[in-house]
Structures are given as C-alpha cells and as structure tokens.
Amino acid sequence: MLAGSDRGKDPALAYAGIIPRPVSAIADTGTFILKNTGFLFARPAGADTAGSGVSFVIAADSALGAEGYELTVSEEGVRISAPTRAGLFYGVQTLRQLLPPAAERARGGQWTVATGVIRDHPRYEWRGAMLDVARHFFSVAEVKRFIDQLAAYKMNVLQLHLSDDQGWRIEIASWPRLTSVGGLSEVGGGEGGFYTQAEYREIVAYAAERFITVIPEIDLPGHTNAALVAYPELNCNGKQAVAYTGIEVGFSSLCTRKPVVIRFVLDVIREIAAMTPGRYIHIGGDEANSTLPRDYEAFIDSVEGIVRAQGKVMIGWEEIAQAPIDSGTVVQHWRSVDLAVLAASKGALILMSPSTRVYLDMKYDPATVLGQNWANYIEVDTAYMWDPVTLIPPLDSGAVKGIIVPLWTETVATWSEAESLLFPRLAAIAEVAWSPAVDRVWDEFSKRLGRHGARMTAMGINFYRSPRVPWPDASPSTRPASVVP
C-alpha cells in the first residue's frame, strides 16, 4: 500500500533531494511502484530481490570509475549497473533516497519512485570519518550504527582511534595489561572498555560488507599514558604512570630509545596487522611534545619500517612529515599548511582533515554546550563551503587522496550526543568528498538538507537543527535538547 503522505506529491522532487549530489540526475514524468523494500538495507549481492522489480548488473563503464553507478528507473522497474559491487551498493543508497523518508523505517511495503536516470561517481577515493573511542568508549553496536550511517552517505573509510592517554581499546594478546589495566579508564572517570580481537574482527567484517575499510590508529609515541599505566617499563623512568581522565595533551611519551619499546611497537603492529585486511595502519604521531625532536624522527622512521614489514602502508598525522618518510606514505593534515606541503614534497599522499572545517567535536556556535572551540565554531555552512584543492594553494591537487572527518570525544559520552555533533555536518562533508566542486552551492544544498531532515528523523538520528538550514518542519531557532540545556 502506498503511504498516505506520498499521495498527491510530485515524485520527481526526490531527484532534487539526494545527498551527496549526484554527478548527473535527470527525472522523468512517470513512476514505478517498488515492492519489498527490505532488501535495500542489505548488501545488493546475495540480497533477495524477487518480486521487487529491481535488477543489479555488473557492467564495464570506464566513465564511472571503480565506485560509480548508473541507476535507471522506468515504469517497468529499476536497474542498477556498475563496474563493481561497491558501485552497486552506492546505487542502492541513492535509490533509498528516492523513496519517501518513511521507507527508512520499513522492511516491506510499496513505494512510488519517479522515473529517471542517475549517473554518478565520487570525486575522491577516500571519504571517511574518524571515531575516537579512547577518550570515551563506544560499544560494538554503536560503532556498527555509525558504520551504517557512513554507508548511507557513500563514505568508505572508518578510522578508529584505538589508543590515547585516557584508555587503550584493542586487545593485544602479547601485552594483555594494555586492556586489563590501560583499558579501564576514560575522560571523566568512567569505566572505559575495550574490544577483544574477535569484536574488532566483527567490526571490520561488518564494515567490509558495506564497502567501508577500517583503518586502526594506535597513537605513538605521544598520547600513550594508558600504555604507561599498564607497562611502566615503556616509560623512561620505569615508574608506573597514573591513570588519566582529563583532556590535556602532549605530556606523555614512550621512551623511544629503549629496546623494550621497539619490541612493544613491533608486537602491537604485528597483531593489529594480522586482524586488519586493509592496506593501512595509522600510527598517530601527533602532539608528541614530550619527545625530543631527534628521537621523534628516528622513532617514526623505525615504526614505518615495522609497518612496512607487515605488508602495510603507514598513515600518520601531519607531524610525521618531519621524519624521513617513504614516498607513498599517507599524511593526515589537520592544522599546519607547511607540514602538509612538506609531506607532499616527500611524495606523501594527503588526507584532508582541516580542524577549522571538519573537526566535528567543535561547537556549532557559542550557544552549543557539547564540543570545544579551540579550532573554530563550525556551523553547517562552514563545514560545507570549502574545497580540498583551494584550501592549501601550494598543494598539488593530485596529492590529495580524500577527506577524513574526525570526531574526538572529550565532551561526548553517549552515541546520542555524538550524533548531535556529527549531523547534519557529516552529510555536508560527505558531499564535499563525493560531488563535483562546480555543482556545490550552499543555498541549493541547504534546501536539500532541509528536506533531508525528515529522513534523518526516520533514521532515528539525533541531529542538530541548524538555524542556517530551512527545515520545513521546525522554526529556525529549534535545537535538540542534547545541544542546548
């Protein structure tokens, strides 16, 4: 049965509401009745589409690249074709947005879809987010929920920040006290937590089913207080550190010249590499203020060799550009233009995570309760109105690999709170990463985002109703209770 709220509406309006904006979308005047929509929330390959009127076709199309797709809706049915299964999956995410928001809550039924053709492919190879589970721990179920949210916006990377001063969150069998001792604290004095290796593999597999690559991050040589609590021998003075529940940075360091520290790093990287099928391991490298510069550079060089020996490619925050890094290393820009340019001059690929634009732990405005403001106030338009190519003019556009959106969790203790900082800014940045720059205009996007509010509500997302977005169902001043007291 068709939803009553959809009767009398022009279905072609759905083509104007897709986020991220497709490369090409042409609506026709007809409609198709889509049945049994439950398969839309599963993987295309292997999903039961019998009786739905939807067909999937793997077909070569050089114009679509590795992740593009063509979605055709006729009065006879829906056809999604793509060169790869990832492209088919992204076509499904677009088809979801052609349905009414109520379909997000349904696992069956019938819905009208406007006829038309969409041809689409991403601008950047990497489109992802970083979740800090070290400052506050989040369960496997909450991480899976985040993975589903990323997938809905065609994002394909999840960087998990698994260790920091406040807690160590991944089981390392050869160093068990990392989690049994170092995993039992978090910001504010909570109980912390950690993932067993089986749970980590479960997260990695769940993400892979949605064409998302998990990149594990172990922060070294700074941000290591939790490890120093667990193993005092990693400290230069050999004394056990005290569990830390604050939010300051830069005070901790591994004693990089000790042989035990190199053995520690080798064991940690070896175990993480064994349970991570992706090509990349993130070694942090930021804010190592308590490590001497010469020791820092030698340590990063050694760690890169360890990562390389495990058949992986090293990623680090932009500070690692000061060390002798390999060509092809991935460097994550967050603050320093000079370090980003230096990294590129050494042949590194650049991930863009500019703190003034995409650090989603930043407050929206001075009235926002959650979050910080040391980098910027980041309203939705600030998160949207920038371009990776022009943000750092000396940087060659070919060096930019993609965008990673960090959510640091110093002020975030629940997933509902996390969502209020992530959304709708995550949707805005997903479009920066996917859609052609020439087609991105704030006024047009803000209207699409406003219409998209009903879909986020149907998805159960606790999003912030920015006063800069024309939400059809709320006054401009409306804010969620989790953002303003």
Side-chain angles (χ1 to χ4, degrees):
M1 180 178 293
L2 298 181
S5 61
D6 296 322
R7 293 186 180 125
K9 291 185 178 181
D10 179 3
L13 289 175
Y15 279 74
I18 300 168
I19 298 176
R21 182 187 176 102
V23 172
S24 171
I26 302 173
D28 205 342
T29 57
T31 60
F32 171 70
I33 305 299
L34 180 65
K35 303 175 183 178
N36 303 322
T37 58
F39 79 91
L40 294 177
F41 301 88
R43 289 170 292 164
D48 181 11
T49 63
S52 67
V54 179
S55 62
F56 297 102
V57 179
I58 294 289
D61 190 329
S62 59
L64 295 179
E67 296 178 291
Y69 64 92
E70 181 176 274
L71 168 63
T72 303
V73 183
S74 69
E75 294 183 355
E76 289 74 41
V78 177
R79 182 182 187 271
I80 301 175
S81 64
T84 65
R85 291 175 65 246
L88 296 180
F89 182 80
Y90 298 133
V92 169
Q93 306 318 306
T94 294
L95 179 56
R96 282 175 61 176
Q97 291 193 30
L98 293 178
L99 306 180
E104 295 290 346
R105 298 190 300 267
R107 291 297 183 269
Q110 301 182 21
W111 309 92
T112 57
V113 189
T115 55
V117 178
I118 293 174
R119 283 182 60 82
D120 198 13
H121 55 84
R123 181 183 184 190
Y124 285 112
E125 177 186 354
W126 284 29
R127 310 170 304 280
M130 186 222 75
L131 178 61
D132 171 15
V133 297
R135 271 52 178 265
H136 280 101
F137 181 70
F138 293 94
S139 68
V140 171
E142 288 167 327
V143 175
K144 286 182 176 181
R145 176 171 171 82
F146 189 37
I147 289 169
D148 286 336
Q149 291 166 343
L150 294 176
Y153 293 97
K154 303 183 179 73
M155 302 184 91
N156 65 354
V157 174
L158 172 60
Q159 177 181 333
L160 279 179
H161 185 77
L162 292 166
S163 71
D164 215 297
D165 292 315
Q166 297 83 356
W168 187 283
R169 307 301 183 205
I170 180 67
E171 177 190 13
I172 303 297
S174 56
W175 297 75
R177 287 172 58 85
L178 287 172
T179 47
S180 66
V181 175
L184 303 182
S185 56
E186 64 181 17
V187 168
E191 64 182 9
F194 65 91
Y195 308 117
T196 66
Q197 293 197 5
E199 288 173 328
Y200 175 78
R201 286 190 172 96
E202 180 182 345
I203 289 170
V204 170
Y206 189 87
E209 290 173 350
R210 289 147 184 83
F211 300 93
I212 291 175
T213 298
V214 172
I215 296 175
E217 179 187 352
I218 301 296
D219 214 339
L220 305 167
H223 291 276
T224 49
N225 192 75
L228 302 178
V229 172
Y231 289 98
E233 60 266 39
L234 302 176
N235 207 343
C236 283
N237 63 15
K239 295 181 180 179
Q240 184 177 35
V242 177
Y244 184 66
T245 60
I247 63 172
E248 297 303 316
V249 300
F251 62 88
S252 63
S253 177
L254 298 174
C255 197
T256 60
R257 293 190 176 190
K258 279 188 171 183
V260 67
V261 167
I262 298 302
R263 188 171 74 248
F264 164 77
V265 173
L266 192 154
D267 288 341
V268 169
I269 297 299
R270 173 179 51 78
E271 291 196 32
I272 289 179
M275 53 183 163
T276 302
R279 294 181 59 220
Y280 302 92
I281 291 181
H282 201 303
I283 58 89
D286 63 320
E287 297 176 323
N289 303 340
S290 296
T291 310
L292 292 175
R294 66 176 182 273
D295 291 343
Y296 174 85
E297 293 175 17
F299 178 77
I300 295 299
D301 187 38
S302 296
V303 173
E304 182 155 46
I306 291 170
V307 171
R308 190 190 314 115
Q310 296 299 321
K312 305 293 185 182
V313 176
M314 185 177 78
I315 306 177
W317 296 98
E318 61 193 16
E319 286 91 331
I320 70 168
Q322 300 166 98
I325 57 176
D326 292 346
S327 176
T329 296
V330 181
V331 172
Q332 195 164 2
H333 162 67
W334 67 283
R335 181 173 61 181
S336 170
V337 170
D338 290 342
L339 288 178
V341 174
L342 176 61
S345 74
K346 295 182 176 183
L349 298 171
I350 308 301
L351 280 178
M352 297 295 287
S353 299
S355 55
T356 58
R357 298 288 183 165
V358 305
Y359 266 40
L360 298 191
D361 55 306
M362 293 297 112
K363 297 183 177 187
Y364 290 90
D365 58 31
T368 310
V369 172
L370 293 175
Q372 303 187 75
N373 64 359
W374 58 262
N376 202 8
Y377 291 111
I378 302 180
E379 250 291 358
V380 185
D381 55 345
T382 303
Y384 184 78
M385 295 171 61
W386 69 286
D387 189 87
V389 171
T390 59
L391 192 68
I392 304 179
L395 196 63
D396 183 88
S397 61
V400 177
K401 192 172 184 68
I403 299 172
I404 299 290
V405 181
L407 179 67
W408 303 103
T409 60
E410 288 93 338
T411 69
V412 176
T414 69
W415 191 250
S416 179
E417 291 174 345
E419 286 181 343
S420 70
L421 290 175
L422 287 165
F423 293 96
R425 294 183 293 190
L426 186 73
I429 300 165
E431 180 153 310
V432 177
W434 179 279
S435 305
V438 68
D439 292 334
R440 292 195 298 104
V441 178
W442 165 251
D443 286 345
E444 186 273 336
F445 173 75
S446 68
K447 294 181 177 65
R448 269 189 293 129
L449 185 59
R451 292 193 295 270
H452 199 74
R455 188 169 303 277
M456 288 188 288
T457 297
M459 294 169 71
I461 295 174
N462 178 37
F463 68 97
Y464 165 66
R465 294 179 182 270
S466 167
R468 303 189 186 183
V469 175
W471 308 104
D473 59 341
S475 65
S477 61
T478 301
R479 297 168 179 265
S482 63
V483 176
V484 170

